[in-house]
Coordinates of all heavy atoms in Angstrom, one line a residue:
M70 N 0.8 -1.2 0.0 CA 0.0 0.0 0.0 C 0.9 1.2 0.0 O 1.9 1.3 0.7 CB -0.9 0.0 1.2 CG -2.0 1.0 1.2 SD -3.2 0.6 -0.1 CE -4.3 1.9 0.1
F71 N 0.5 2.2 -0.8 CA 1.2 3.4 -0.9 C 1.2 4.2 0.4 O 0.1 4.5 0.9 CB 0.7 4.3 -2.1 CG 1.4 5.6 -2.3 CD1 2.7 5.6 -2.6 CD2 0.7 6.8 -2.0 CE1 3.3 6.9 -2.8 CE2 1.3 8.0 -2.2 CZ 2.6 8.0 -2.6
D72 N 2.3 4.6 0.9 CA 2.3 5.4 2.2 C 2.8 6.8 1.8 O 4.0 7.0 1.6 CB 3.3 4.8 3.2 CG 3.3 5.5 4.5 OD1 2.9 6.7 4.5 OD2 3.7 4.9 5.5
P73 N 1.9 7.8 1.8 CA 2.3 9.2 1.4 C 3.5 9.7 2.3 O 4.4 10.4 1.8 CB 1.1 10.0 1.6 CG -0.1 9.0 1.6 CD 0.5 7.7 2.1
A74 N 3.5 9.4 3.6 CA 4.5 9.9 4.5 C 5.9 9.4 4.0 O 6.8 10.1 3.9 CB 4.2 9.5 5.9
K75 N 5.9 8.1 3.8 CA 7.2 7.5 3.4 C 7.7 8.0 2.0 O 8.8 8.0 1.7 CB 7.1 6.0 3.4 CG 7.1 5.3 4.7 CD 7.1 3.8 4.6 CE 7.0 3.2 6.0 NZ 6.7 1.8 6.0
A76 N 6.7 8.3 1.2 CA 7.0 8.8 -0.1 C 7.4 10.3 -0.1 O 7.7 10.9 -1.2 CB 5.8 8.6 -1.1
G77 N 7.3 10.9 1.0 CA 7.6 12.3 1.1 C 6.6 13.3 0.7 O 6.8 14.4 0.3
V78 N 5.3 12.8 0.6 CA 4.2 13.7 0.2 C 3.8 14.6 1.4 O 3.5 14.1 2.5 CB 2.9 12.9 -0.2 CG1 1.8 13.8 -0.6 CG2 3.3 12.0 -1.4
P79 N 3.9 15.9 1.3 CA 3.6 16.8 2.4 C 2.1 16.7 2.8 O 1.2 16.4 2.1 CB 3.8 18.2 1.8 CG 4.5 18.0 0.5 CD 4.2 16.6 0.1
D80 N 1.9 16.9 4.2 CA 0.6 16.7 4.7 C -0.4 17.7 4.2 O -1.6 17.5 4.2 CB 0.6 16.8 6.3 CG 1.3 15.5 6.9 OD1 1.3 14.5 6.2 OD2 1.8 15.6 8.0
D81 N 0.1 18.9 3.9 CA -0.9 20.0 3.5 C -1.2 19.9 2.0 O -1.8 20.8 1.5 CB -0.3 21.4 3.9 CG 1.1 21.6 3.2 OD1 1.6 20.6 2.6 OD2 1.6 22.7 3.3
L82 N -0.8 18.9 1.4 CA -1.1 18.7 0.0 C -2.6 18.4 -0.2 O -3.3 17.9 0.7 CB -0.3 17.6 -0.6 CG 0.0 17.7 -2.1 CD1 0.8 19.0 -2.5 CD2 0.9 16.5 -2.5
C83 N -3.2 18.6 -1.4 CA -4.5 18.3 -1.7 C -4.8 16.8 -1.3 O -4.0 15.9 -1.5 CB -4.7 18.4 -3.2 SG -6.2 17.6 -3.8
P84 N -6.0 16.6 -0.6 CA -6.3 15.2 -0.1 C -6.3 14.2 -1.2 O -5.9 13.0 -1.0 CB -7.7 15.4 0.5 CG -7.8 16.8 0.8 CD -7.0 17.5 -0.2
I85 N -6.7 14.6 -2.4 CA -6.7 13.7 -3.5 C -5.3 13.2 -3.9 O -5.0 12.1 -4.1 CB -7.4 14.3 -4.8 CG1 -8.9 14.5 -4.4 CG2 -7.3 13.4 -6.0 CD1 -9.6 15.3 -5.5
A86 N -4.4 14.2 -3.8 CA -3.0 13.9 -4.2 C -2.4 13.0 -3.1 O -1.6 12.1 -3.3 CB -2.2 15.2 -4.3
V87 N -2.7 13.3 -1.8 CA -2.2 12.5 -0.7 C -2.7 11.1 -0.8 O -2.0 10.1 -0.5 CB -2.6 13.1 0.7 CG1 -2.2 12.2 1.8 CG2 -1.9 14.5 0.8
D88 N -3.9 10.9 -1.3 CA -4.5 9.6 -1.4 C -4.1 8.9 -2.7 O -4.6 7.8 -3.0 CB -6.0 9.7 -1.3 CG -6.7 8.4 -1.0 OD1 -6.1 7.6 -0.2 OD2 -7.8 8.1 -1.5
I89 N -3.2 9.5 -3.4 CA -2.9 9.0 -4.7 C -2.3 7.6 -4.6 O -1.6 7.3 -3.7 CB -2.0 9.9 -5.4 CG1 -1.9 9.6 -6.9 CG2 -0.6 9.9 -4.8 CD1 -1.2 10.7 -7.7
N90 N -2.6 6.8 -5.6 CA -2.0 5.4 -5.6 C -1.2 5.3 -6.9 O -1.8 5.2 -8.0 CB -3.2 4.4 -5.6 CG -2.6 3.0 -5.6 OD1 -1.4 2.8 -5.4 ND2 -3.5 2.0 -5.8
P91 N 0.1 5.4 -6.8 CA 0.9 5.4 -8.1 C 0.7 4.1 -8.8 O 1.1 3.1 -8.3 CB 2.3 5.7 -7.6 CG 2.3 5.2 -6.2 CD 0.9 5.4 -5.7
M92 N 0.2 4.2 -10.0 CA 0.0 2.9 -10.7 C 1.0 2.7 -11.8 O 1.4 3.7 -12.5 CB -1.4 3.0 -11.4 CG -2.5 3.0 -10.4 SD -4.2 3.1 -11.2 CE -4.3 1.4 -11.7
L93 N 1.5 1.5 -11.9 CA 2.3 1.2 -13.0 C 1.4 0.8 -14.2 O 0.3 0.4 -14.0 CB 3.2 0.0 -12.7 CG 4.3 0.3 -11.7 CD1 5.0 -0.9 -11.2 CD2 5.4 1.3 -12.3
P94 N 1.9 0.9 -15.4 CA 1.1 0.5 -16.6 C 0.5 -0.9 -16.5 O -0.6 -1.2 -17.0 CB 2.1 0.6 -17.8 CG 3.1 1.6 -17.3 CD 3.2 1.4 -15.8
G95 N 1.3 -1.8 -15.8 CA 0.8 -3.2 -15.7 C -0.5 -3.3 -14.9 O -1.2 -4.3 -14.9
D96 N -0.8 -2.2 -14.1 CA -2.0 -2.2 -13.3 C -3.3 -1.9 -14.2 O -4.4 -2.3 -13.8 CB -1.9 -1.2 -12.2 CG -0.8 -1.5 -11.2 OD1 -0.5 -2.7 -11.1 OD2 -0.3 -0.6 -10.6
W97 N -3.1 -1.3 -15.3 CA -4.3 -0.9 -16.0 C -4.3 -1.4 -17.5 O -5.3 -1.2 -18.2 CB -4.5 0.7 -16.1 CG -3.3 1.4 -16.4 CD1 -2.5 2.1 -15.6 CD2 -2.7 1.7 -17.8 NE1 -1.4 2.7 -16.3 CE2 -1.6 2.5 -17.6 CE3 -3.1 1.2 -19.0 CZ2 -0.8 2.9 -18.7 CZ3 -2.3 1.6 -20.1 CH2 -1.2 2.5 -19.9
R98 N -3.3 -2.1 -17.8 CA -3.2 -2.7 -19.2 C -4.4 -3.6 -19.5 O -4.8 -4.4 -18.6 CB -1.9 -3.4 -19.3 CG -1.5 -4.0 -20.6 CD -0.2 -4.8 -20.5 NE -0.3 -5.8 -19.5 CZ 0.5 -6.0 -18.5 NH1 1.6 -5.2 -18.4 NH2 0.4 -6.9 -17.5
S99 N -4.9 -3.6 -20.7 CA -6.0 -4.5 -21.1 C -5.6 -5.6 -22.0 O -6.2 -6.6 -22.1 CB -7.2 -3.7 -21.8 OG -6.7 -3.1 -23.0
M100 N -4.4 -5.4 -22.6 CA -3.8 -6.5 -23.4 C -2.4 -6.7 -23.0 O -1.7 -5.8 -22.6 CB -3.9 -6.1 -24.9 CG -5.2 -5.8 -25.5 SD -6.2 -7.3 -25.7 CE -5.4 -8.0 -27.2
R101 N -1.9 -7.9 -23.1 CA -0.5 -8.2 -22.8 C 0.2 -9.0 -23.9 O -0.4 -9.8 -24.6 CB -0.4 -9.0 -21.5 CG -0.8 -10.4 -21.6 CD -0.2 -11.2 -20.4 NE -0.7 -10.8 -19.1 CZ -0.2 -11.2 -18.0 NH1 0.8 -12.0 -18.0 NH2 -0.7 -10.7 -16.8
P102 N 1.5 -8.7 -24.1 CA 2.2 -9.5 -25.2 C 2.7 -10.8 -24.6 O 3.2 -10.8 -23.4 CB 3.4 -8.5 -25.5 CG 3.6 -7.7 -24.3 CD 2.3 -7.6 -23.6
V103 N 2.6 -11.8 -25.4 CA 3.2 -13.1 -25.0 C 4.2 -13.5 -26.1 O 3.9 -13.5 -27.3 CB 2.1 -14.2 -24.9 CG1 2.7 -15.5 -24.6 CG2 1.1 -13.8 -23.8
V104 N 5.4 -13.8 -25.7 CA 6.5 -14.1 -26.6 C 6.6 -15.6 -26.8 O 6.7 -16.4 -25.8 CB 7.8 -13.6 -26.2 CG1 8.9 -13.9 -27.2 CG2 7.8 -12.1 -25.9
D105 N 6.5 -16.1 -28.1 CA 6.8 -17.5 -28.4 C 8.3 -17.7 -28.4 O 9.0 -17.3 -29.4 CB 6.1 -17.8 -29.8 CG 6.2 -19.3 -30.1 OD1 7.2 -19.9 -29.6 OD2 5.4 -19.7 -30.9
R106 N 8.8 -18.3 -27.4 CA 10.2 -18.5 -27.3 C 10.8 -19.3 -28.5 O 12.0 -19.1 -28.8 CB 10.6 -19.2 -26.0 CG 10.1 -18.5 -24.8 CD 10.3 -19.3 -23.5 NE 9.6 -18.6 -22.4 CZ 9.7 -19.0 -21.2 NH1 10.5 -20.1 -20.9 NH2 9.1 -18.4 -20.2
D107 N 10.1 -20.2 -29.1 CA 10.6 -21.0 -30.2 C 10.7 -20.1 -31.5 O 11.6 -20.4 -32.3 CB 9.7 -22.2 -30.5 CG 9.7 -23.2 -29.3 OD1 10.7 -23.2 -28.6 OD2 8.7 -23.8 -29.1
K108 N 9.9 -19.1 -31.6 CA 10.0 -18.3 -32.8 C 11.0 -17.1 -32.7 O 11.5 -16.6 -33.7 CB 8.6 -17.7 -33.1 CG 7.6 -18.7 -33.6 CD 6.3 -17.9 -34.0 CE 5.2 -18.9 -34.6 NZ 4.0 -18.2 -34.8
C109 N 11.2 -16.7 -31.4 CA 12.1 -15.5 -31.2 C 13.6 -15.8 -31.7 O 14.1 -16.9 -31.3 CB 12.1 -15.1 -29.8 SG 13.2 -13.7 -29.4
V110 N 14.1 -15.0 -32.5 CA 15.5 -15.1 -33.0 C 16.4 -14.1 -32.4 O 17.5 -13.9 -32.8 CB 15.6 -15.1 -34.5 CG1 14.8 -16.2 -35.1 CG2 15.0 -13.7 -35.0
K111 N 15.9 -13.4 -31.3 CA 16.7 -12.4 -30.6 C 17.3 -11.3 -31.5 O 18.4 -10.9 -31.4 CB 17.9 -13.1 -29.9 CG 17.4 -14.0 -28.7 CD 18.5 -14.4 -27.8 CE 19.0 -13.2 -26.9 NZ 20.1 -13.6 -26.0
C112 N 16.4 -10.8 -32.4 CA 16.8 -9.7 -33.3 C 16.8 -8.4 -32.7 O 17.4 -7.4 -33.1 CB 16.0 -9.7 -34.6 SG 14.2 -9.3 -34.2
A113 N 16.0 -8.3 -31.6 CA 16.0 -7.0 -30.8 C 15.1 -5.9 -31.4 O 15.1 -4.8 -30.9 CB 17.3 -6.5 -30.4
V114 N 14.4 -6.3 -32.4 CA 13.5 -5.3 -33.0 C 12.4 -4.8 -32.0 O 12.1 -3.6 -31.9 CB 12.8 -5.8 -34.3 CG1 11.7 -4.9 -34.8 CG2 13.8 -6.0 -35.4
C115 N 11.9 -5.7 -31.3 CA 10.9 -5.4 -30.2 C 11.5 -4.4 -29.2 O 10.9 -3.5 -28.8 CB 10.3 -6.6 -29.6 SG 11.6 -7.7 -28.9
W116 N 12.7 -4.7 -28.8 CA 13.4 -3.9 -27.9 C 13.6 -2.4 -28.4 O 13.5 -1.5 -27.7 CB 14.8 -4.5 -27.6 CG 15.7 -3.7 -26.7 CD1 15.7 -3.6 -25.3 CD2 16.7 -2.8 -27.1 NE1 16.6 -2.7 -24.9 CE2 17.3 -2.2 -26.0 CE3 17.2 -2.4 -28.4 CZ2 18.3 -1.3 -26.0 CZ3 18.2 -1.5 -28.5 CH2 18.7 -0.9 -27.3
L117 N 13.9 -2.4 -29.7 CA 14.1 -1.1 -30.3 C 12.8 -0.2 -30.4 O 12.9 1.0 -30.2 CB 14.6 -1.3 -31.8 CG 15.1 -0.1 -32.6 CD1 16.4 0.5 -31.9 CD2 15.4 -0.5 -34.0
Y118 N 11.7 -0.9 -30.6 CA 10.5 -0.2 -30.9 C 9.6 0.1 -29.6 O 8.8 1.0 -29.6 CB 9.6 -0.9 -31.9 CG 9.9 -0.6 -33.3 CD1 10.9 -1.4 -34.0 CD2 9.3 0.5 -34.0 CE1 11.2 -1.1 -35.3 CE2 9.6 0.8 -35.3 CZ 10.6 0.0 -35.9 OH 10.9 0.3 -37.2
C119 N 9.8 -0.7 -28.6 CA 9.0 -0.5 -27.4 C 9.1 0.9 -26.8 O 10.2 1.3 -26.4 CB 9.4 -1.6 -26.3 SG 8.4 -1.3 -24.8
P120 N 8.1 1.6 -26.7 CA 8.1 3.0 -26.3 C 8.5 3.2 -24.8 O 8.8 4.3 -24.4 CB 6.7 3.6 -26.6 CG 5.9 2.4 -26.6 CD 6.7 1.2 -27.1
V121 N 8.3 2.2 -24.0 CA 8.6 2.3 -22.6 C 9.7 1.4 -22.1 O 9.9 1.2 -20.9 CB 7.3 2.0 -21.7 CG1 6.3 3.2 -21.9 CG2 6.7 0.7 -22.1
Q122 N 10.4 0.9 -23.1 CA 11.7 0.1 -22.8 C 11.5 -1.0 -21.8 O 12.2 -1.1 -20.8 CB 12.8 1.1 -22.3 CG 13.1 2.1 -23.4 CD 14.1 3.2 -22.9 OE1 14.3 3.4 -21.7 NE2 14.8 3.8 -23.8
C123 N 10.4 -1.8 -22.0 CA 10.2 -2.9 -21.1 C 10.5 -4.3 -21.7 O 10.2 -5.3 -21.1 CB 8.8 -2.9 -20.6 SG 7.5 -3.0 -21.8
I124 N 11.2 -4.3 -22.8 CA 11.7 -5.6 -23.4 C 13.0 -5.9 -22.7 O 13.9 -5.1 -22.6 CB 11.9 -5.4 -24.9 CG1 10.6 -5.1 -25.6 CG2 12.5 -6.8 -25.4 CD1 9.5 -6.2 -25.7
V125 N 13.1 -7.1 -22.2 CA 14.3 -7.6 -21.5 C 14.9 -8.8 -22.2 O 14.2 -9.6 -22.7 CB 14.0 -7.9 -20.0 CG1 13.7 -6.6 -19.3 CG2 12.9 -8.9 -19.9
E126 N 16.2 -8.9 -22.2 CA 16.9 -10.0 -22.9 C 17.0 -11.2 -21.9 O 17.5 -11.0 -20.8 CB 18.2 -9.5 -23.4 CG 19.0 -10.6 -24.2 CD 20.3 -10.1 -24.7 OE1 20.7 -9.0 -24.3 OE2 20.9 -10.9 -25.5
R127 N 16.6 -12.3 -22.4 CA 16.8 -13.6 -21.7 C 17.9 -14.3 -22.5 O 18.2 -14.0 -23.6 CB 15.5 -14.4 -21.6 CG 14.4 -13.7 -21.0 CD 14.5 -13.6 -19.5 NE 13.3 -13.0 -18.9 CZ 13.3 -12.3 -17.8 NH1 14.4 -12.0 -17.2 NH2 12.1 -11.8 -17.4
P128 N 18.5 -15.4 -21.9 CA 19.5 -16.1 -22.6 C 19.1 -16.6 -24.0 O 19.9 -16.5 -24.9 CB 19.8 -17.3 -21.6 CG 19.5 -16.8 -20.3 CD 18.3 -15.9 -20.5
A129 N 17.9 -17.0 -24.2 CA 17.5 -17.6 -25.4 C 16.4 -16.8 -26.2 O 16.0 -17.2 -27.3 CB 17.1 -19.0 -25.3
W130 N 15.9 -15.8 -25.6 CA 14.8 -15.0 -26.2 C 14.7 -13.7 -25.6 O 15.3 -13.4 -24.6 CB 13.5 -15.8 -26.2 CG 12.7 -15.7 -24.9 CD1 11.7 -14.9 -24.6 CD2 12.9 -16.5 -23.7 NE1 11.2 -15.1 -23.3 CE2 12.0 -16.0 -22.7 CE3 13.9 -17.4 -23.3 CZ2 12.0 -16.6 -21.4 CZ3 13.8 -18.0 -22.0 CH2 12.9 -17.5 -21.1
F131 N 13.8 -12.8 -26.2 CA 13.5 -11.5 -25.6 C 12.2 -11.6 -24.9 O 11.2 -12.1 -25.5 CB 13.5 -10.4 -26.6 CG 14.9 -9.8 -26.9 CD1 16.0 -10.7 -27.2 CD2 15.2 -8.5 -26.8 CE1 17.3 -10.2 -27.4 CE2 16.4 -8.0 -27.0 CZ 17.5 -8.8 -27.3
D132 N 12.1 -11.1 -23.7 CA 10.9 -11.2 -22.9 C 10.4 -9.8 -22.6 O 11.0 -8.8 -22.9 CB 11.2 -11.9 -21.6 CG 10.0 -12.6 -21.0 OD1 8.9 -12.5 -21.5 OD2 10.2 -13.3 -19.9
V133 N 9.2 -9.8 -21.9 CA 8.6 -8.5 -21.6 C 8.5 -8.3 -20.0 O 8.1 -9.2 -19.3 CB 7.2 -8.4 -22.1 CG1 6.5 -7.1 -21.8 CG2 7.2 -8.6 -23.7
N134 N 8.9 -7.1 -19.6 CA 8.6 -6.8 -18.2 C 7.2 -6.3 -18.0 O 6.9 -5.2 -18.4 CB 9.6 -5.7 -17.7 CG 9.4 -5.3 -16.3 OD1 8.4 -5.7 -15.6 ND2 10.2 -4.3 -15.8
L135 N 6.3 -7.2 -17.5 CA 4.9 -6.9 -17.5 C 4.5 -5.8 -16.4 O 3.4 -5.3 -16.4 CB 4.1 -8.2 -17.3 CG 4.1 -9.1 -18.5 CD1 3.5 -10.5 -18.1 CD2 3.5 -8.5 -19.7
A136 N 5.4 -5.5 -15.6 CA 5.2 -4.5 -14.6 C 5.1 -3.1 -15.3 O 4.3 -2.2 -14.8 CB 6.2 -4.4 -13.5
T137 N 5.8 -2.9 -16.3 CA 5.8 -1.6 -17.0 C 5.3 -1.6 -18.4 O 5.0 -0.6 -19.0 CB 7.3 -1.0 -17.0 OG1 8.1 -2.0 -17.6 CG2 7.8 -0.7 -15.6
C138 N 5.0 -2.8 -18.9 CA 4.4 -2.9 -20.3 C 3.0 -2.3 -20.2 O 2.2 -2.6 -19.4 CB 4.3 -4.4 -20.7 SG 3.3 -4.6 -22.2
K139 N 2.7 -1.4 -21.2 CA 1.4 -0.8 -21.2 C 0.4 -1.4 -22.2 O -0.7 -1.0 -22.4 CB 1.5 0.7 -21.5 CG 2.1 1.0 -22.9 CD 2.2 2.5 -23.0 CE 2.9 2.9 -24.4 NZ 2.8 4.3 -24.6
G140 N 0.9 -2.5 -22.9 CA 0.0 -3.3 -23.8 C -0.3 -2.6 -25.1 O -1.4 -2.9 -25.7
C141 N 0.6 -1.8 -25.6 CA 0.3 -1.0 -26.8 C 0.3 -1.9 -28.1 O -0.3 -1.6 -29.1 CB 1.2 0.1 -27.0 SG 3.0 -0.4 -27.3
G142 N 1.0 -3.0 -28.0 CA 1.1 -3.9 -29.2 C 2.1 -3.6 -30.2 O 2.1 -4.3 -31.3
I143 N 2.8 -2.5 -30.1 CA 3.8 -2.1 -31.1 C 4.8 -3.3 -31.3 O 5.2 -3.6 -32.4 CB 4.5 -0.8 -30.7 CG1 3.5 0.3 -30.7 CG2 5.7 -0.6 -31.6 CD1 4.1 1.6 -30.2
C144 N 5.3 -3.9 -30.2 CA 6.3 -5.0 -30.3 C 5.7 -6.1 -31.2 O 6.4 -6.7 -32.1 CB 6.7 -5.5 -29.0 SG 5.3 -6.1 -28.0
A145 N 4.4 -6.4 -31.0 CA 3.8 -7.5 -31.8 C 3.7 -7.1 -33.2 O 3.9 -8.0 -34.1 CB 2.4 -7.9 -31.2
N146 N 3.4 -5.9 -33.5 CA 3.3 -5.4 -34.9 C 4.6 -5.4 -35.6 O 4.7 -5.6 -36.8 CB 2.7 -4.0 -34.9 CG 1.2 -4.0 -34.7 OD1 0.5 -5.0 -34.9 ND2 0.7 -2.9 -34.2
E147 N 5.7 -5.1 -34.8 CA 7.0 -4.9 -35.5 C 7.9 -6.2 -35.5 O 8.8 -6.3 -36.3 CB 7.8 -3.8 -34.7 CG 7.2 -2.5 -34.8 CD 7.0 -1.9 -36.2 OE1 7.8 -2.3 -37.1 OE2 6.1 -1.1 -36.4
C148 N 7.5 -7.2 -34.7 CA 8.3 -8.4 -34.7 C 8.3 -9.1 -36.1 O 7.3 -9.5 -36.5 CB 7.8 -9.4 -33.6 SG 8.6 -11.0 -33.7
P149 N 9.5 -9.2 -36.7 CA 9.5 -9.8 -38.0 C 9.3 -11.3 -38.0 O 8.9 -11.9 -39.1 CB 11.0 -9.5 -38.5 CG 11.8 -9.3 -37.3 CD 10.8 -8.8 -36.2
Q150 N 9.4 -11.9 -36.9 CA 9.1 -13.4 -36.8 C 7.7 -13.7 -36.4 O 7.3 -14.9 -36.2 CB 10.1 -14.0 -35.8 CG 11.5 -13.8 -36.1 CD 11.9 -14.5 -37.4 OE1 11.5 -15.6 -37.6 NE2 12.7 -13.8 -38.2
R151 N 6.9 -12.7 -36.1 CA 5.5 -12.9 -35.6 C 5.6 -13.7 -34.3 O 4.8 -14.6 -34.1 CB 4.6 -13.5 -36.6 CG 4.3 -12.6 -37.8 CD 3.4 -11.5 -37.4 NE 3.2 -10.5 -38.4 CZ 3.7 -9.2 -38.4 NH1 4.4 -8.8 -37.4 NH2 3.4 -8.4 -39.3
A152 N 6.6 -13.4 -33.5 CA 6.8 -14.2 -32.3 C 6.0 -13.7 -31.1 O 6.0 -14.3 -30.0 CB 8.3 -14.3 -31.9
I153 N 5.4 -12.5 -31.3 CA 4.7 -11.9 -30.1 C 3.2 -11.8 -30.5 O 2.8 -11.3 -31.5 CB 5.2 -10.5 -29.9 CG1 6.7 -10.5 -29.6 CG2 4.5 -9.9 -28.7 CD1 7.4 -9.2 -29.4
T154 N 2.4 -12.3 -29.5 CA 0.9 -12.3 -29.7 C 0.3 -11.5 -28.5 O 0.8 -11.6 -27.4 CB 0.4 -13.7 -29.6 OG1 1.0 -14.5 -30.6 CG2 -1.1 -13.7 -29.8
M155 N -0.6 -10.6 -28.9 CA -1.3 -9.8 -27.8 C -2.5 -10.6 -27.4 O -3.3 -11.0 -28.2 CB -1.7 -8.5 -28.4 CG -0.6 -7.6 -28.8 SD 0.7 -7.2 -27.6 CE -0.3 -6.2 -26.4
I156 N -2.6 -10.8 -26.1 CA -3.8 -11.5 -25.5 C -4.5 -10.6 -24.5 O -3.9 -9.7 -23.9 CB -3.4 -12.8 -24.9 CG1 -2.5 -12.6 -23.7 CG2 -2.8 -13.8 -25.9 CD1 -2.3 -13.9 -22.8
A157 N -5.8 -10.8 -24.3 CA -6.5 -10.0 -23.3 C -6.1 -10.4 -21.9 O -5.9 -11.5 -21.6 CB -8.0 -10.2 -23.5
E158 N -6.0 -9.3 -21.1 CA -5.8 -9.5 -19.7 C -7.0 -10.1 -19.0 O -8.1 -9.7 -19.4 CB -5.4 -8.2 -19.0 CG -4.1 -7.6 -19.3 CD -2.9 -8.4 -18.6 OE1 -3.2 -9.4 -17.9 OE2 -1.8 -8.0 -18.8
V159 N -6.8 -11.1 -18.2 CA -8.0 -11.7 -17.5 C -8.6 -10.6 -16.6 O -7.9 -9.9 -15.8 CB -7.5 -12.9 -16.6 CG1 -8.7 -13.4 -15.8 CG2 -6.9 -14.0 -17.5
G160 N -9.9 -10.5 -16.7 CA -10.7 -9.5 -15.9 C -10.6 -8.1 -16.4 O -11.2 -7.2 -15.8
A161 N -10.0 -7.9 -17.6 CA -9.9 -6.5 -18.1 C -11.2 -6.2 -18.9 O -11.9 -7.0 -19.3 CB -8.7 -6.4 -19.1
Ligands
SF4_233 S1 11.3 -8.7 -32.5 FE1 10.5 -10.8 -32.3 S2 12.1 -12.2 -32.9 FE2 13.0 -10.2 -32.6 S3 13.7 -10.3 -30.4 FE3 11.7 -9.4 -30.4 S4 10.3 -11.2 -30.1 FE4 12.3 -12.0 -30.7
SF4_234 S1 3.0 -4.1 -25.8 FE1 4.0 -2.0 -26.0 S2 4.7 -1.5 -24.0 FE2 4.4 -3.7 -24.0 S3 6.4 -4.6 -24.6 FE3 5.2 -4.3 -26.4 S4 5.8 -2.4 -27.2 FE4 6.4 -2.5 -25.1

């Protein structure tokens, strides 16, 4: 749970701001990319195009940091191997 005091939010700030819950894109994303490890050739095109730099390199493929991925689908559109599929988030 977000603690305004620990985060250094002044007490005299607007109550709405004090009550703010800083959300990462992974909290509100409606679609998520799934990488097919067998298709990925580690060309890094997805890494190049991701606007929030959440593509991470694994030993044998490129993966997605879902905490910061906003689900825009650019990586899936740009992957030359069609190794990335966008799927709906459960409950979205
Ligand atoms: S663009 Fe596709 S093939 Fe290239 S690294 Fe990313 S997932 Fe792998
Ligand atoms: S869906 Fe968008 S934000 Fe997420 S990894 Fe792909 S390009 Fe990056």
Side-chain angles (χ1 to χ4, degrees):
M70 192 65 180
F71 178 66
D72 184 342
K75 286 184 182 166
V78 178
D80 288 341
D81 58 350
L82 207 61
C83 165
I85 295 172
V87 171
D88 197 33
I89 195 168
N90 184 11
M92 297 179 74
L93 289 169
D96 296 331
W97 49 257
R98 180 185 56 235
S99 61
M100 301 287 285
R101 73 162 59 192
V103 176
V104 181
D105 184 333
R106 301 176 189 184
D107 294 331
K108 287 185 180 175
C109 178
V110 295
K111 294 193 72 177
C112 65
V114 168
C115 54
W116 175 84
L117 188 66
Y118 276 90
C119 177
V121 290
Q122 299 176 338
C123 61
I124 300 288
V125 290
E126 185 177 9
R127 303 287 186 212
W130 79 99
F131 273 53
D132 204 357
V133 178
N134 176 358
L135 290 172
T137 53
C138 167
K139 61 182 181 174
C141 66
I143 292 174
C144 57
N146 284 337
E147 298 298 334
C148 173
Q150 300 297 318
R151 293 286 174 252
I153 304 176
T154 304
M155 299 302 293
I156 64 169
E158 288 285 2
V159 175

